[in-house]
Amino acid sequence: MSTALETVALTKTFGGRHALALDAVDLCVDDGSVFGFLGPNGAGKTTALRIITGLAKPTSGTVRVLGQDIASAGNAVRGQLGFLPDVPAFYDWMTAPEFMEFVGGLFGLDHRILRQRTAMLLDTAGLGGVTTRIGGYSRGMKQRLGIAQALINAPRLLLLDEPTSALDPIGRKDVLDMLDALRGRATIFFSSHILSDVERVCDTVAILNRGRVLTQSSMQDLRSRHGRHRIVLEVTETADADALATLIAERSWATTVSRDGQGVIDVLVSDAAAAQHELPSLVASRNAGLIRLEAGELTLEDVFVELVGEAI
């Protein structure tokens, strides 16, 4: 599979070694993938995106976009990129079609093609037929317009910096639905600190913390590599749950046991088969009333908390 984006030992410092924003970051983004660039606020995600788009220069290291070094690439390569910054800016007095045609004009698009793309992309963004000026848009509408404008040049690589940040649940759903609709049309590089959003739309993820890449792999491999599962039990009485949690924590297969303060026990296990075999007898030994027993894979949040916690 060809590579849409690659960084090698990408490093960025501000005012000396003590202000290290990126520390030898290596990334490899396959062509056609939906790639999640995940990390807490301040991890260095926006700095990396600014360098990838050519808006900032690295202290050292290289970035290759669509096979070319971005530092020396001309407009032909940059013209194949689409970019949504974390806080997109618009001319509030324009309508959405006016803004889209303005952006398309910067790429020198033929007027007929531009009109067709504008109509198609605004429909995809749920903004077709909206005549309100952009200044009257909600944050979610502006984010969807931002993604639409990033696609006006039919980019091969779409770069999105926190596209769902600060949105309400409806706005986030709208943006994620739009990204789902774009799957396969371009390589999508999706930066976020919202784990559930990344888990929903991305097939590959890299986790960044304090300027360093902690891991990069497919979602499935990431969970498999950590080799654990989650089991959730709920019993009728809080006192039974407290005693049962203590018993479970003594078992070799229980790596983490947590309580919700009521009757729910959340267990991360290293051996799911052993846990599922022993748990019913442990519940019976406490004469506890079992309401539910559920097993499943680790979530991205579980993996993220483990990796970032180890790196602190």
Side-chain angles (χ1 to χ4, degrees), residues 38 68 73 79 102 110 134 147 186 199 202 225 253 284 293 298-299:
L38 181 63
Q68 296 195 39
F102 166 74
D110 175 79
I134 297 171
I147 296 174
E199 191 163 27
C202 297
R225 195 162 63 239
W253 41 259
L293 175 61
L298 286 180
T299 66

Side-chain angles (χ1 to χ4, degrees), residues 28-50:
C28 184
V29 180
D30 290 337
D31 191 32
S33 66
V34 182
F35 188 96
F37 194 40
L38 181 63
N41 289 329
K45 302 187 301 297
T46 294
T47 298
L49 271 167
R50 285 179 55 80

